Amino acid sequence: MKWPEGVTIKEVGPRDGLQNEKTFISTDDKIAWINQLSESGLKHIEITSFVNPKWIPALSDATAVATGITKVPGVTYTALVPNLRGLERAFQSNVDEIAVFMSASETHNQKNINKSIDQTFPVLRDLVRETIMAGKISRGYVSTVFGCPYEGHVKIESVIRVSENLFEMGIAELSLGDTIGVANPKQVQDVLEVLLKRFPADNLAMHFHDTRGTALANILVSLEMGVTTFDSSLGGLGGCPYAPGASGNVATDDLLYMLHGMGIHTGVDQHKLLHASQFIQEKIGRTLPSKSFQAASSALGGTLGSTV
Ligand code: HMG
Ligand code: MG
């Protein structure tokens, strides 16, 4: 097997990781954490979301966070945006990249953004157009690609339709979401075989939640199929509040451990991230799911890790 020389990691911890947390992480702590991530070699960080704060109270301080961080040159700072009201707030906060999102399944789309799939297309089309006109990059997410918490199996035709629409709008990259962590490697292979006939691997990213422990296996298959961009969340935090049963994203710590061990370059300093994981674990007040973080912290004799 020939593995790629390098992989791009898109850190979504400050957005996906924190959006579902019951403990409100203070604005100062969010900023301090993002600043630590910025110093680790990560080149892409999704820092917050400009959604309706009543829907996601954990990120209601999006403006203060986005304007409070110390930006490192060469790092792209992204925010999740659902509508023009959110775009206006994101532009005022001067983020570099806008991530738009919708689902391949009707019920999750409705529960998550209060619209049908067909009602969502014109909203996102306006967002992508305005983003491009403002000289900024636009990224798209399609959720429930591998299964929906309400409908179960999701037809590949629905995934293709939503993906085609998003690319036609002008997004630069599409992130394929296993929102509730149900995918297995064979399914990932089957889905990618279909999608890679339509879209170049370079324009795709994989976004695996690790609810059932299959995320790294799914990433390995995606690598074999030529995809080299992966979303992950430090410590394995994460989950969508409108997807019952969804737990954290694949942990950045675990992904780095696997990739670096295989000789695949990421540009990220694992040691610096250990401290960032410890920082957020202490703020959240519970043990982070990442196995490699827990192993590294116990190997360091408790100077890192399970202090909670
Ligand atoms: P809605 O209630 O239908 O919105 O929500 P509305 O347009 O009817 O407006 C209602 C009120 O909200 C109005 O205020 C608006 O101004 C305000 P009022 O006039 O009543 O005082 N409002 C806003 N305020 C601030 N910022 C905004 C905004 N929009 C409206 N952007 C909406 C529709 C889409 C906004 C809502 O459903 C929402 O915010 N949903 C987001 C849910 C969410 O964030 N889910 C998690 C992220 S997706 C995810 O995790 C999946 C992903 O990780 C990939 C994967 O894992 O698959 C990306
Ligand atoms: Mg997610």
Side-chain angles (χ1 to χ4, degrees), residues 15-16 19 50 52 56 83 89 112 114 143 179 207 209:
R15 194 277 303 170
D16 205 333
Q19 71 183 8
F50 292 94
N52 184 342
I56 307 283
N83 54 17
R89 294 170 61 212
N112 198 35
N114 212 15
S143 289
T179 316
H207 180 103
H209 284 260

Side-chain angles (χ1 to χ4, degrees), residues 144-208:
T144 63
V145 169
F146 301 94
C148 170
Y150 304 101
E151 296 175 19
H153 176 72
V154 175
K155 287 191 183 141
I156 189 70
E157 290 77 16
S158 312
V159 178
I160 294 170
R161 178 165 179 259
V162 169
S163 305
E164 277 176 349
N165 269 277
L166 286 166
F167 275 121
E168 275 163 20
M169 290 174 200
I171 57 159
E173 179 179 89
L174 182 68
S175 177
L176 301 168
D178 183 14
T179 316
I180 51 169
V182 286
N184 65 65
K186 171 75 169 64
Q187 188 188 10
V188 172
Q189 193 177 31
D190 291 347
V191 167
L192 280 179
E193 251 164 31
V194 174
L195 295 185
L196 287 169
K197 289 197 180 101
R198 289 166 171 83
F199 317 113
D202 284 352
N203 296 129
L204 294 181
M206 305 305 288
H207 180 103
F208 291 113

Side-chain angles (χ1 to χ4, degrees), residues 240-252:
C240 174
Y242 300 98
S247 64
N249 296 82
V250 65
T252 308

